[in-house]
Amino acid sequence: QSSARTLPNICRHPMPDPIRYDPSAARSLISETTRQSISPALDAARREVLADVELMQAGANIPPDKQPLDAGFIELPAQLLSDAGGRNRKHSLVKRIEVAASRMRRQVDRLVLLGIGGSYMGLRALFESLCPPYFNELPRKLRGGPRLYYEGENLDNDSARALLELLQSECTKPQRLAHRWGIVVISKSGGTLETAAAFRLFRSALEQYYGDDSPRTRELVIPITGESGKLRSLAELKNYPTTFPVPDGIGGRFSVLTAVGLFPAAVLGIDIRALLQGAADMTQLFKSAPFGQNPVLDYVATGHLMERDHGANIRVLSTWGKRLEAAGLWYDQLLAESLGKPKGDGFCGATPITVVNTRDLHSRGQQHQEGRRDKLITNVIVDQPSSEPLKVPQVPEAEDQDQLNRLDGKTWPDLLAAAIQGTNQAYADVRRPTADIHLPQLDAYALGQLLQMLMLATVVEGRLLGVNPYGQPGVEDYKRNMGQILYG
């Protein structure tokens, strides 16, 4: 079997330089003395996070105050790459994902992903960031793989029915590639109601379409689940030939660089090794670089000090360009579920908000500029576009009513750069704090760095605050209540 890495595809780019975090604008409100004063606490939080990893690796009993402990995501990228380059590389998880993904992309032209929370948001971030904006509309020869659809992340009757009707109307000849579709279902336990209900619905439609006795009924369903649980039991009963694990010790919102995100990403043609390499390199930088040269620690320091000393308990992730919006929404879940928890007699956890600029300068910009001083704005900036820059067209003078001929020679990236600079200057003039994350370009390596940086920063801040960044007990409450209402 050829792997996805050997196939030409439009979602892959060469590895660029590292991403860069620049909090200099926010430092106008944070004295150097204050910033340096937090360095010992940050180092202690980093040591605790790394000690958590050692505790898990040692297989020791986890103390009650550390439970749950889901620090497995930290060393996983490096471990997966090591296995993929080792003596048993043919049996490594990365290689098995690549081979199965290559097979799946040759078998179907539509892929239905069923999952919720981290089982959905991570892949959506990868898909929208790394594949062309109109991927599903492209012809197969340009896509190189199947169209992607989501369900199981909500309980929207009309949305689920619309997707079923689309599949039933467009897929009528299962012998033809253009008419074949498959399912990737992701649930660690298999007990999450939204995903379980969607899987039953779409599994029934798939079995009816291909026929109960067709091999495709089994081959075109890929469960990604825990080693035990309801979905694992069903997968064994149905004899699905290909399954992938959701590893123990990694929570759902930290699972984007496990098979949860990697397998469907590979089906789409995304370079999963570059993703893992970016994440592994960020982890190494986090472990070794001092405060002031460490994007993870520097990011935590800015957010923590702005919240502690200036009341900036709303964190706006300002993505400059449409393709990173889903990455921002993924981060919303990560920060909210990890840090939004009780602490002593009170509560902690900043509120995350994602905006897309310049779009949201025309909806939220007024509030950010002149509203409550409760926000830290972190810009996520891609320095180079993935495609050739568009130029503002010149027109005859008689048609220059918009007076854009003055922009002769300017490109879309030039306009965006001016918007970023102008917005940051406007905020600086009224002492509104901003910081910048720079991605040299939007590719798998840079995105792997960004995702790992934000995951590491989240757990470091949790340890700094004295709350467990893992687990989500509040979410479990609604699940229990819903079950009692439905089942009695």
Side-chain angles (χ1 to χ4, degrees):
Q1 300 281 359
S2 61
S3 76
R5 286 175 57 81
T6 66
L7 297 173
N9 73 76
I10 52 180
C11 303
R12 183 177 302 133
H13 304 281
M15 294 183 189
D17 297 327
I19 67 174
R20 179 169 56 88
Y21 176 64
D22 179 8
S24 56
R27 285 182 185 171
S28 64
L29 298 178
I30 303 171
S31 71
E32 185 61 20
T33 300
T34 300
R35 201 177 73 85
Q36 289 299 330
S37 70
I38 201 175
S39 178
L42 283 171
D43 282 334
R46 172 169 56 177
R47 289 193 299 271
E48 184 175 1
V49 167
L50 296 177
D52 290 342
V53 177
E54 294 177 357
L55 185 63
M56 289 185 63
Q57 291 176 338
N61 290 329
I62 307 298
D65 64 328
K66 286 282 187 178
Q67 295 180 5
L69 183 58
D70 292 331
F73 79 93
I74 295 173
E75 293 292 354
L76 182 67
Q79 184 60 56
L80 291 178
L81 288 171
S82 176
D83 292 345
R87 184 170 299 176
N88 294 319
R89 62 178 66 94
K90 290 184 179 180
H91 302 288
S92 69
L93 179 62
V94 169
K95 185 63 177 178
R96 289 192 292 114
I97 285 174
E98 289 172 338
V99 170
S102 177
R103 183 169 57 247
M104 189 70 162
R105 65 191 284 148
R106 294 195 306 269
Q107 288 179 307
V108 300
D109 197 52
R110 299 176 193 267
L111 184 66
V112 177
L113 181 105
L114 306 176
I116 195 170
S119 298
Y120 147 73
M121 289 305 309
L123 175 66
R124 183 178 167 190
L126 298 178
F127 174 60
E128 293 188 17
S129 298
L130 300 177
C131 290
Y134 299 101
F135 183 86
N136 278 6
E137 306 304 317
L138 294 172
R140 173 79 187 202
K141 65 181 179 180
L142 293 180
R143 282 185 281 114
R147 300 175 176 92
L148 179 64
Y149 306 95
Y150 309 102
E151 275 299 333
E153 89 290 6
N154 215 315
L155 290 171
D156 187 322
N157 178 83
D158 296 345
S159 173
R161 179 173 290 279
L163 180 54
L164 275 177
E165 291 175 350
L166 173 69
L167 295 171
Q168 290 165 352
S169 64
E170 295 295 317
C171 301
T172 59
K173 301 174 181 177
Q175 69 277 13
R176 295 179 56 186
L177 173 62
H179 289 249
R180 291 202 295 270
W181 62 280
I183 295 172
V184 174
V185 54
I186 304 173
S187 177
K188 190 168 188 177
S189 67
T192 302
L193 180 60
E194 294 92 332
T195 301
F199 184 39
R200 179 171 291 199
L201 181 70
F202 284 91
R203 186 178 78 244
S204 297
L206 182 139
E207 291 171 350
Q208 182 178 358
Y209 180 54
Y210 293 113
D212 290 340
D213 296 331
S214 171
R216 290 187 179 129
T217 298
R218 297 185 302 277
E219 294 171 355
L220 300 184
V221 176
I222 309 292
I224 302 176
T225 187
E227 297 298 340
S228 62
K230 298 175 181 178
L231 181 54
R232 173 64 63 177
S233 297
L234 181 61
E236 292 172 352
L237 177 68
K238 289 285 188 177
N239 197 27
Y240 294 131
T242 303
T243 62
F244 288 103
V246 178
D248 291 333
I250 299 180
R253 61 187 177 275
F254 297 94
S255 67
V256 61
L257 298 176
T258 71
V260 168
L262 296 179
F263 174 73
V267 176
L268 296 167
I270 292 170
D271 189 341
I272 63 173
R273 297 194 189 214
L275 273 171
L276 292 169
Q277 190 64 61
D281 289 351
M282 178 56 66
T283 298
Q284 185 58 39
L285 185 62
F286 162 67
K287 292 162 66 174
S288 60
F291 180 54
Q293 302 174 37
N294 190 312
V296 174
L297 300 184
D298 295 348
Y299 181 87
V300 174
T302 303
H304 178 71
L305 292 174
M306 285 303 307
E307 183 176 359
R308 188 193 73 182
D309 298 345
H310 299 277
N313 60 359
I314 295 177
R315 296 191 191 167
V316 180
L317 197 70
S318 177
T319 64
W320 289 86
K322 299 179 182 180
R323 295 171 63 189
L324 280 167
E325 181 173 17
L329 297 175
W330 166 86
Y331 179 60
D332 287 353
Q333 182 204 0
L334 176 69
L335 190 69
E337 281 195 350
S338 297
L339 302 186
K341 293 172 180 175
K343 179 186 176 184
D345 295 331
F347 304 92
C348 72
T351 298
I353 295 175
T354 291
V355 300
V356 177
N357 287 330
T358 59
R359 181 193 76 190
D360 291 339
L361 293 176
H362 297 262
S363 61
R364 299 176 185 262
Q366 171 63 35
Q367 185 188 58
H368 295 174
Q369 178 76 16
E370 296 184 330
R372 293 181 184 273
R373 293 183 177 274
D374 56 1
K375 301 169 190 69
L376 167 64
I377 298 172
T378 300
N379 300 298
V380 184
I381 302 166
V382 180
D383 292 333
Q384 294 294 330
S386 300
S387 58
E388 184 177 353
L390 294 165
K391 289 186 177 181
V392 178
Q394 293 291 291
V395 299
E397 185 175 349
E399 300 176 15
D400 189 32
Q401 284 87 354
D402 54 17
Q403 299 184 342
L404 293 185
N405 278 354
R406 294 177 298 171
L407 298 176
D408 185 22
K410 297 293 185 182
T411 65
W412 249 246
D414 293 331
L415 305 184
L416 184 65
I420 296 170
Q421 183 179 347
T423 303
N424 277 352
Q425 183 61 55
Y427 291 151
D429 289 344
V430 291
R431 294 175 64 79
R432 303 278 173 160
T434 62
D436 298 334
I437 299 174
H438 285 270
L439 281 63
Q441 62 186 33
L442 188 49
D443 60 13
Y445 180 74
L447 189 65
Q449 291 182 85
L450 177 66
L451 299 178
Q452 190 77 345
M453 170 189 159
L454 294 175
M455 288 190 287
L456 289 167
T458 299
V459 297
V460 168
E461 186 170 6
R463 295 311 187 197
L464 181 68
L465 292 169
V467 300
N468 188 344
Y470 306 111
Q472 54 282 338
V475 175
E476 301 306 319
D477 289 343
Y478 103 83
K479 293 181 180 180
R480 284 192 296 271
N481 292 341
M482 184 167 59
Q484 291 174 358
I485 293 167
L486 290 171
Y487 306 130

